[in-house]
Amino acid sequence: MKPFYMLTKQEIFSELNTNENGISDEEAKRRLSEFGYNEFKERKTKSLFQRFLDQFKDFLVIILIVAALISGFVGEIADSIIILFVVILNAVLGVIQENKAEKSLSALKKMAAPLAVVIRNGISKEIPVREIVPGDIVVLEAGRFVPADLRLIEAVNLKIEESSLTGESVPVEKSSEALDNENISIGDRKNMAFMSSMVTYGRGKGVVVATGMKTEIGKIADMLSDVEEEKTPLQVKLEEAGKWMGITALVICAVMFLVGILRGQELFDMFMTSIALAVAAIPEGLPAVVTIVLAVGVQKMIKRNATIRKLPAVETLGCVTVICSDKTGTLTQNKMTVKEIFTVNGYADDILDAKKALIIANLCNDTKVVEENGKIVTLGDPTETALVDIALKAGIDKRELEKQYLRIDEIPFDSDRKLMTTFNRYEDKIEVNVKGAPDILLSKCKFILDNNAVREITNDDIERIKRANEEMAAKALRVLAVGYKNTNEVDINNAEKDLIFVALIGMIDPPREEAKDAVKKCKTAGIKPVMITGDHKTTAIAIAKELAILNSDEEAITGVELEKMSDEKLFNNVTRYSVYARVSPEHKVRIVEAWKKNGQIVAMTGDGVNDAPALKAANIGVAMGITGTDVAKEAADMILTDDNFATIVAAAEEGRTIYSNIKKSISYLLSCNIGEIVTLFVSTLLGWAEPLLPIHILWVNLVTDSLPALALGMEPAEEGVMKQPPRDPNEGIFSKGTGFRILIQGILIGALTLIAYRYGVNYGKKQGLSFEEYELIGRTMAFFTLSLSQLVHAYNNRYELKSVIASGIFKNRYLNLAVLISLFIQITVLSTPFLRRIFKVTLLNREQLVVVLLCSIAPLVVVEIAKLFRKK
């Protein structure tokens, strides 16, 4: 069967078994049971409890739970409680972030008007939108939403706003005539009206051809539910690191256990030592630290007008390589603006030079001018409001103008004549004011206004006007012509004859000024901006060139051309194109997927319903907060609260900084954990008693380490962060020597801890103390050396290559505060008898404290020397 837009009115009636009088109520009930309600099906969402359970699927978390259960089983209740507390806290944080459940489909449902006017049994009546069925005749009027997909059978000056669906900024003029081309994009189906679009002008009737999920917007809803959410690069890398750490921990535990048994040590003692090592190998604070650092990043983003809906999306911004942006309202102002006015004397340098043209354009205009909260607001068709806005700038107020030139009659615009005419009484005469399509109006002009004098129009004048019209059209301007004449009576039949040509007025939805700088910054940062729009190719190219998104017309392609491309061909050619015009929602998803298959991390910005599937398909979807539809916002990962394209660049900078800071935190935590592993593993191999107890390790991991790790996440952006290319998403956390440095630094911390331990043991032996007494001194020195050396080591992680001493060691006030708090906590443990008993430590003398301090400062000195050699 042919598409509905190719069928004649009678063919549609025959196909849908209906007529001008509509279907009967009985038939409507039957069809309702056949086709279902005119609404969207919602997919099932996970319950709060299911989301909570999902938090425990992580490999690291599972190992921690097992360790907690075993610790509890063997009587180490304190250790067990601390581990479980951390695991549950992390799960709660995860649920809180994910609890903003997907509401895309419910937002789509809200867009449908609650009531619609239909004709049934020849009688016009209002019915709930959900009860509309295929074959119903729907009556359309200005201000009403279109309740379903319709094939128009009557259109009188009908204009429908479809920007949220097609991306086109100007309301579309509709007709009821059949179209003869089968491959027509949604935006060019002039005889169709689509669900959720809005009638802005005129009236019409249409036959319902699709309802609910079968409508164009319903297909979008279906696409939204089909798109699977992907894990961010950081989540993937952390999972890999978690598995690696978990497996390593289990292997080391098994080796230690066997070595201990073979050496003849007690089974229970070795079991507890292995548990301690498992706890040491797993950075319990890591999930919480990453979550909190991301949350802090979210707060920073909010200050920069970017609201993050999904926490992991913060770091995804750091490796974005392509930004696929909608044009209307995102790169442009979503407001038609007069750019050029051409009179017989050339292009007007000053709008006052075209005063007569502006007077005509305002009199022949149905825009309403109102005051809201002390501000003048224009309401009406975007093209007409642009004419009123430019006149207001010139000091011409439509309200005052209409008092002087009282409208006494009019000939409304229609798509056949392509003209609008008003009759205005001015003093003792009637002025006929006309605006419309340049070629039509020019053909009806006998005279021309030349320097405020009227003379006959010449062929040379006509040629100049036509050339100017072509020049404006080439710049993608929407061009209107205005003319007038004076008469003594209202003569409808002869009103549009022998007119005086006044001017051509060219307008466009202009690019945002800040978008130009944003595009430039994107390119400097190695991010490719791509425009994807439902607008015409000429308009898209003009805007893209002004924004420097594309250099030549060959970089632009239309949806029709894209339709003919296979997925493989699109995959091979997607990097060639910077502009996609006249595209459908399905095309947007294909483009995003093609970029992703090329190994790119894609951000998609948009504001309309038509953008929602692509927003979900992209690695990070970015919706506009002011002009964006609820659907777009719910489908997005991030919302720009100022609708400023430049904000996404600021967000990308913040994303890069946050990822860098998370990497610093991870490097710090893992090097500290390796220090603990080295301490326990080497002491076991050498047959020493335990230098650290499980409670020491848990305390260091959860209290002493976590605060500095969080503070590292607060580091300000390093210089030149946006002059570097985006991070490779396949780049591991331990790439570029990071893993090696973590290992070496961890071994250093472990070695220093063992040195302090042996010093304490030997000191006690020399003093003739008992085994329990000198082990207590050694263990205390090991515990405090480990914790303090890790606090000092936090400063090493501020910069990868730069000397922290030369750059200002104490510049990060959050880190200074974290170190002071952690230091205070450690001193409290040492100086409080009650806590000393719990932690099984003792007071140290001055000599022992000096050794602890020297061992603790050593990591900073060694790493600074290493940085110096690496630079050279």
Side-chain angles (χ1 to χ4, degrees):
M1 189 192 90
K2 289 182 181 178
F4 285 109
Y5 54 81
M6 294 183 70
L7 302 180
T8 63
K9 183 159 75 170
Q10 291 308 316
E11 286 173 331
I12 293 162
F13 286 160
S14 174
E15 181 67 33
L16 295 169
N17 194 18
T18 187
N19 55 52
E20 298 263 11
N21 294 320
I23 57 177
S24 65
D25 288 330
E26 290 74 21
E27 176 62 15
K29 284 180 184 176
R30 189 195 68 76
R31 293 189 186 191
L32 193 61
S33 63
E34 181 184 347
F35 296 103
Y37 284 109
N38 180 32
E39 59 190 11
F40 302 125
K41 293 174 185 172
E42 292 199 43
R43 53 181 175 161
K44 290 181 180 178
T45 56
K46 287 184 178 180
S47 67
L48 199 66
F49 183 66
Q50 284 175 313
R51 275 189 238 117
F52 181 72
L53 289 180
D54 284 345
Q55 306 301 314
F56 297 98
K57 291 179 180 177
D58 184 79
F59 190 73
L60 272 180
V61 173
I62 292 168
I63 292 175
L64 280 174
I65 291 170
V66 171
L69 293 174
I70 294 172
S71 295
F73 181 73
V74 297
E76 298 292 334
I77 304 299
D79 294 353
S80 180
I81 290 171
I82 291 171
I83 298 171
L84 288 174
F85 173 75
V86 173
V87 169
I88 292 167
L89 177 65
N90 189 53
V92 170
L93 283 170
V95 171
I96 288 169
Q97 289 304 325
E98 290 178 17
N99 200 30
K100 295 175 181 177
E102 293 300 321
K103 298 173 186 174
S104 302
L105 300 182
S106 60
L108 279 162
K109 284 179 75 175
K110 290 173 190 173
M111 291 190 69
L115 295 172
V117 178
V118 300
I119 298 173
R120 286 187 180 168
N121 297 320
I123 299 168
S124 180
K125 59 162 74 173
E126 270 196 333
I127 65 166
V129 163
R130 69 193 299 265
E131 293 178 11
I132 286 175
V133 293
D136 263 326
I137 306 295
V138 175
V139 178
L140 299 175
E141 298 167 332
R144 281 191 176 272
F145 277 101
V146 178
D149 282 4
L150 314 176
R151 165 64 167 88
L152 298 170
I153 56 172
E154 184 182 304
V156 181
N157 304 326
L158 184 63
K159 290 185 183 180
I160 298 180
E161 166 67 64
E162 296 178 343
S163 66
S164 68
L165 184 66
T166 66
E168 188 161 0
S169 53
V170 178
V172 181
E173 291 176 25
K174 295 293 184 178
S175 73
S176 58
E177 300 301 315
L179 303 174
D180 56 8
N181 190 339
E182 193 165 344
N183 295 315
I184 299 178
S185 65
I186 291 174
D188 291 322
R189 295 174 194 171
K190 305 293 186 186
N191 59 5
M192 298 289 291
F194 301 105
M195 187 179 195
S196 87
S197 56
M198 187 176 185
V199 180
T200 60
Y201 198 84
R203 58 187 173 81
K205 289 179 187 174
V207 184
V208 176
V209 296
T211 58
M213 299 300 286
K214 300 292 184 185
T215 61
E216 292 299 329
I217 197 172
K219 291 173 187 174
I220 292 174
D222 203 30
M223 288 164 65
L224 281 172
S225 62
D226 287 344
V227 175
E228 289 185 13
E229 289 190 29
E230 296 184 359
K231 289 179 179 175
T232 70
L234 180 65
Q235 285 176 312
V236 172
K237 299 301 174 192
L238 279 178
E239 274 194 15
E240 288 174 6
K243 286 178 183 176
W244 174 78
M245 285 185 285
I247 292 166
T248 304
L250 294 175
V251 170
I252 292 174
C253 286
V255 170
M256 262 189 65
F257 186 77
L258 288 171
V259 168
I261 297 301
L262 291 172
R263 291 178 67 92
Q265 289 181 250
E266 287 290 327
L267 185 69
F268 180 77
D269 289 344
M270 281 316 304
F271 184 74
M272 287 309 300
T273 303
S274 298
I275 290 291
L277 185 64
V279 172
I282 299 167
E284 293 86 352
L286 182 59
V289 166
V290 171
T291 302
I292 293 166
V293 171
L294 286 172
V296 169
V298 168
Q299 296 307 311
K300 286 185 181 178
M301 295 276 197
I302 288 170
K303 290 176 183 176
R304 300 184 80 164
N305 299 310
T307 301
I308 300 293
R309 290 188 65 252
K310 297 167 188 175
L311 203 56
V314 176
E315 60 86 18
T316 311
L317 282 162
C319 51
V320 164
T321 55
V322 179
I323 298 176
C324 293
S325 173
D326 183 40
K327 177 184 76 68
T328 306
T330 308
L331 290 165
T332 64
Q333 297 172 18
N334 199 17
K335 182 180 174 66
M336 292 299 283
T337 306
V338 172
K339 297 288 283 183
E340 293 179 347
I341 300 176
F342 179 85
T343 68
V344 70
N345 302 307
Y347 290 100
D349 294 325
D350 192 313
I351 51 178
L352 289 172
D353 294 341
K355 187 174 181 181
K356 183 60 181 175
L358 296 178
I359 289 172
I360 295 166
N362 274 252
L363 292 173
C364 189
N365 192 314
D366 289 328
T367 295
K368 297 281 183 270
V369 182
V370 296
E371 281 197 33
E372 290 181 4
N373 301 321
K375 288 185 178 180
I376 293 177
V377 179
T378 51
L379 306 172
D381 180 271
T383 303
E384 292 197 329
T385 59
L387 298 169
V388 175
D389 288 335
I390 193 75
L392 284 167
K393 287 180 182 176
I396 301 169
D397 192 322
K398 184 175 186 287
R399 294 167 295 181
E400 297 301 318
L401 208 57
E402 287 175 335
K403 291 175 185 175
Q404 297 174 46
Y405 294 81
L406 185 66
R407 187 188 292 193
I408 56 175
D409 209 340
E410 65 184 281
I411 308 173
F413 175 89
D414 75 55
S415 53
D416 294 328
R417 284 174 35 256
K418 294 187 178 178
L419 295 173
M420 175 182 177
T421 300
T422 61
F423 298 87
N424 301 83
R425 188 180 298 283
Y426 179 64
E427 295 176 350
D428 58 347
K429 62 187 176 187
I430 294 171
E431 189 168 289
V432 180
N433 293 297
V434 187
K435 81 171 191 302
D439 53 338
I440 304 292
L441 189 139
L442 193 57
S443 68
K444 297 180 181 296
C445 290
K446 188 176 180 181
F447 306 97
I448 193 165
L449 188 68
D450 186 353
N451 286 324
N452 295 322
V454 177
R455 61 170 173 80
E456 280 199 27
I457 197 166
T458 65
N459 288 332
D460 185 48
D461 293 329
I462 293 169
E463 285 303 311
R464 287 183 66 214
I465 293 164
K466 285 183 176 178
R467 275 200 306 274
N469 184 33
E470 288 168 4
E471 287 170 7
M472 287 184 177
K475 296 173 190 173
L477 299 182
R478 182 181 174 86
V479 187
L480 288 177
V482 291
Y484 78 108
K485 72 176 182 180
N486 292 313
T487 183
N488 296 317
E489 60 180 353
V490 175
D491 182 354
I492 299 289
N493 295 324
N494 297 303
E496 295 167 348
K497 294 177 182 176
D498 299 334
L499 297 173
I500 304 164
F501 179 86
V502 177
L504 296 175
I505 303 174
M507 60 193 82
I508 197 170
D509 178 14
R512 294 173 175 269
E513 283 302 315
E514 60 272 20
K516 294 178 184 178
D517 291 333
V519 168
K520 188 177 178 182
K521 283 181 183 176
C522 279
K523 291 185 173 182
T524 305
I527 301 169
K528 181 179 175 66
V530 176
M531 180 193 288
I532 304 179
T533 178
D535 224 330
H536 291 281
K537 188 176 181 180
T538 310
T539 308
I541 288 173
I543 296 293
K545 280 184 176 175
E546 196 170 341
L547 290 169
I549 286 176
L550 92 172
N551 300 313
S552 69
D553 293 5
E554 285 72 36
E555 294 175 42
I557 186 174
T558 65
V560 173
E561 292 169 306
L562 188 64
E563 195 73 52
K564 295 172 184 174
M565 272 191 193
S566 65
D567 287 342
E568 186 181 354
K569 191 174 180 183
L570 178 59
F571 165 75
N572 292 326
N573 290 281
V574 70
T575 55
R576 289 176 50 201
Y577 302 113
S578 298
V579 172
Y580 295 84
R582 225 69 184 134
V583 295
S584 68
E586 293 89 345
H587 295 149
K588 293 184 179 186
V589 176
R590 279 189 70 200
I591 295 161
V592 169
E593 293 292 354
W595 274 112
K596 284 167 68 178
K597 284 177 185 173
N598 270 276
Q600 305 299 320
I601 298 296
V602 185
M604 169 75 191
T605 70
D607 59 356
V609 175
N610 61 317
D611 298 318
L615 289 174
K616 283 204 79 174
N619 297 95
I620 179 162
V622 186
M624 300 298 112
I626 300 171
T627 59
T629 58
D630 285 346
V631 184
K633 290 175 189 175
E634 293 300 333
D637 304 287
M638 183 172 86
I639 299 167
L640 306 182
T641 55
D642 60 353
D643 278 20
N644 189 339
F645 180 78
T647 302
I648 194 173
V649 183
E653 180 182 357
E654 201 66 58
R656 289 184 179 192
T657 301
I658 288 164
Y659 182 83
S660 172
N661 290 348
I662 286 174
K663 194 172 177 181
K664 290 171 185 176
S665 298
I666 291 170
S667 296
Y668 168 67
L669 286 173
L670 294 187
S671 57
C672 292
N673 280 57
I674 288 171
E676 294 158 18
I677 293 169
V678 168
T679 303
L680 287 173
F681 192 65
V682 171
S683 63
T684 303
L685 288 178
L686 296 174
W688 297 350
E690 282 183 297
L692 295 167
L693 300 175
I695 193 169
H696 295 156
I697 295 164
L698 274 171
W699 179 259
V700 170
N701 283 359
L702 297 178
V703 181
T704 317
D705 288 358
S706 296
L707 286 176
L710 285 172
L712 285 170
M714 308 285 278
E715 279 283 324
E718 291 187 37
E719 288 179 22
V721 70
M722 287 303 279
K723 290 181 181 176
Q724 300 166 6
R727 173 174 51 83
D728 183 351
N730 296 317
E731 179 186 299
I733 294 171
F734 309 112
S735 63
K736 297 180 180 177
T738 302
F740 178 74
R741 287 192 295 276
I742 289 171
L743 182 64
I744 295 299
Q745 289 165 8
I747 291 171
L748 174 64
I749 290 169
L752 290 164
T753 304
L754 288 169
I755 288 169
Y757 169 72
R758 286 312 297 175
Y759 181 90
V761 168
N762 291 335
Y763 182 91
K765 284 180 178 179
K766 285 178 184 176
Q767 298 297 320
L769 301 176
S770 67
F771 173 80
E772 288 78 12
E773 288 172 327
Y774 66 67
E775 277 298 322
L776 188 61
I777 294 171
R779 191 176 294 136
T780 303
M781 289 185 70
F783 176 41
F784 282 91
T785 299
L786 179 70
S787 57
L788 296 184
S789 64
Q790 289 181 1
L791 292 179
V792 172
H793 180 55
Y795 289 97
N796 286 328
N797 285 272
R798 285 189 59 207
Y799 303 112
E800 194 172 300
L801 272 176
K802 283 166 63 178
S803 165
V804 73
I805 295 172
S807 303
I809 191 167
F810 299 116
K811 276 188 176 178
N812 184 341
R813 59 193 178 94
Y814 298 106
L815 183 57
N816 298 336
L817 185 63
V819 168
L820 286 172
I821 291 170
S822 298
L823 191 59
F824 175 75
I825 291 170
Q826 284 300 98
I827 291 170
T828 304
V829 169
L830 187 63
S831 58
T832 308
F834 168 69
L835 291 174
R836 284 204 301 272
R837 284 195 298 275
I838 291 176
F839 283 88
K840 297 173 185 173
V841 292
T842 186
L843 283 171
L844 300 175
N845 63 30
R846 187 179 299 173
E847 184 183 331
Q848 292 159 355
L849 286 172
V850 169
V851 172
V852 168
L853 286 173
L854 288 173
C855 288
S856 300
I857 294 167
L860 181 67
V861 178
V862 173
V863 172
E864 282 290 296
I865 294 169
K867 283 180 182 177
L868 190 64
F869 279 104
R870 281 175 63 209
K871 270 188 182 179
K872 287 183 178 179

